[in-house]
Amino acid sequence: MQVAVCGPAEATPEERARARRVGELLAERGVTVLCGGGGGVMAAVAAGVRDRAGLVIGVRPDDGTAPAPVELSASLVTNMGQARNAILVWSADAVIAVGGSWGTLSEVALAMRRGGIPVVVLGGWRVLDAHGDPVPGPVHAATPEDAVRLALDGGPEPAHPDPAAP
């Protein structure tokens, strides 16, 4: 299984910490992680994956002359700019977006338009319709653990039985 983890290159410390944890959790589950091959969330998820001896592949938008994060296991150089987002999304069995930027929003939108795969947002975009209601689509997660569970298992957390219930 391959999961794309998307997020801003200019990430906050919280976004980087969440992305690193997502990477650790995915690697522990034996998932190949795809990312954009840059800094911020992308470098953090790669570091988390590599910390757990996992496989992480960067799908880079540039021509490969700029250095990539050292944590990447391999890079795919596209020289396609942001059009590489489509390659990233179409190569994944699920997408997790950590945080938000315009590039991240495009990846979420492309994944939703693709259909047929889980799309999970952790601390990022919430898209509203003209009436201010949430647009159905991406599932929002509260923690890295929730994000990984939703991406891999595809459903809400099972209800915990109340031991006091008859």
Side-chain angles (χ1 to χ4, degrees), residues 14 17-19 21-22 25 96-98 120-123 126 139-151 157:
E14 180 181 15
R18 286 177 159 191
R21 183 66 180 139
V22 165
L25 293 166
I96 298 174
V98 180
V120 181
V121 175
L122 177 59
R126 291 190 182 269
V139 177
H140 291 269
T143 67
E145 290 77 10
D146 287 340
V148 169
R149 180 183 44 74
L150 289 164
E157 188 166 332

Side-chain angles (χ1 to χ4, degrees), residues 4-29:
V5 179
C6 308
E10 300 296 325
T12 67
E14 180 181 15
E15 290 167 339
R16 288 191 302 273
R18 286 177 159 191
R20 184 180 182 96
R21 183 66 180 139
V22 165
E24 292 169 352
L25 293 166
L26 289 170
E28 288 169 2
R29 301 263 311 250

Side-chain angles (χ1 to χ4, degrees), residues 39-118:
V41 162
M42 298 167 279
V45 74
V49 172
R50 293 293 291 216
D51 189 49
R52 296 296 194 269
L55 179 63
V56 58
I57 300 169
V59 182
R60 299 183 55 188
D62 57 12
D63 65 3
T65 56
V70 297
E71 294 87 358
L72 292 175
S73 304
S75 292
L76 174 63
V77 175
T78 68
N79 202 29
M80 295 179 66
Q82 293 301 306
R84 74 82 153 75
N85 294 353
I87 294 168
L88 183 64
V89 165
W90 274 95
S91 298
D93 300 304
V95 173
I96 298 174
V98 180
S101 66
W102 289 113
T104 308
L105 180 59
S106 82
E107 289 160 326
V108 169
L110 287 167
M112 291 307 304
R113 292 290 293 169
R114 173 186 167 187
I117 62 170

